[in-house]
Amino acid sequence: MQSLQQSVGVGGVNRKADVVLAQTLLNRFAKTHSSRLAVDGVAGGATASAIKRFQRDKVGMTKPDGRIDPGGRTLSALLGGKHLRIAWGGRTSSVFNNKVIKIAAAMDMSPDYLMACMAFETGETFSPRITNAAGSGAIGLIQFMPATAKALGTSVQALKGMSAVQQLKYVEKYFSPYQGRLQNLEDVYLAVLYPAAVGMNPSQALFRRGTLTYTQNSGFDKNKDGIITPAEISLKVRAAYEKGLTTGYMG
């Protein structure tokens, strides 16, 4: 996913990894949350329309063809004339960023989404040693719980002694069961917070008033309608995603 290998869009080769990259880049220019593409590696009508819209609005093409080619004008405009940069990459090392890009490619997900979740979980520090303020025992880049660490073949003590790059090995191992299922920011965050909800429609009811799970998570019900959705749960992570794509944070 470090570069576009073959063409994407109308009449393109549409290799899955290339489509995931194209969708990730196009989403950076979406005007609203609802207009963002599912990062699913499928070059369908929505992706073709998004390419044409970008070509018309940002590239200045009077007859957009709906296709992104390696080395072409559309890809250059999507990248800003530079190599692939990722959300929050300006606050982490190039070694860390390259590893995140490889993990995201293996998982068929956007590296921007993974970076946003790690930024949120670590208070924007990306520290492998940061601990949960509430005293749950969780630690590190995605706040590994002790039981989770054990299931991954390590421990919170061992994770605490790792560098951020070393700990990414266990981030990848944690996400591996969800390969191909992490199509939006909500999916990536819920894989960490509440894995049973991965794949849900972001506006679907996850918890309802009157249940224990609603009571435990009532702070997420921002509009107080008695329903908590994946979109509500991920509001703060979405803020981290948007912030990570701004000047001074991308890299």
Side-chain angles (χ1 to χ4, degrees), residues 9 16 18 26 30 53 57-58 65 86 104 129 139-140 146 156 205 207 230-231:
K16 187 170 185 178
D18 290 328
L26 287 164
R53 185 165 52 251
D57 297 345
K58 302 295 183 179
D65 58 10
I86 59 175
R129 290 174 290 280
I139 192 170
V156 290
F207 306 128

Side-chain angles (χ1 to χ4, degrees), residues 1 9 46-47 68 84 89 92 95 114 120-122 129 132 134 152-153 174 179 203:
M1 188 165 170
T47 298
I68 305 170
L84 176 61
T92 48
V95 175
L114 179 55
F120 177 71
E121 291 292 283
T122 62
R129 290 174 290 280
N132 181 271
L152 293 173
Y174 178 84
Q179 192 272 337
S203 62

Side-chain angles (χ1 to χ4, degrees), residues 200-235:
M200 283 184 63
N201 185 312
S203 62
Q204 185 177 341
L206 179 57
F207 306 128
R208 294 181 181 274
R209 184 178 290 133
T211 63
L212 177 60
T213 50
Y214 176 89
T215 301
Q216 293 172 331
N217 295 279
S218 59
F220 288 115
D221 188 5
K222 299 301 182 184
N223 61 2
K224 307 301 180 185
D225 64 350
I227 295 173
I228 299 173
T229 66
E232 285 178 309
I233 284 178
S234 62
L235 277 174

Side-chain angles (χ1 to χ4, degrees), residues 8 11 13 27 37-38 41 78 83 103-104 113 140-141 154 156 171 181 184 187 190 208-209 214 219 227 245-246:
V8 171
V13 175
N27 279 347
L37 298 165
L78 282 166
H83 65 282
I103 291 172
Y113 295 162
L141 296 174
T154 186
V156 290
V171 172
R181 299 172 57 198
N184 53 48
D187 284 339
L190 286 169
R208 294 181 181 274
R209 184 178 290 133
Y214 176 89
I227 295 173
L245 291 175
T246 59

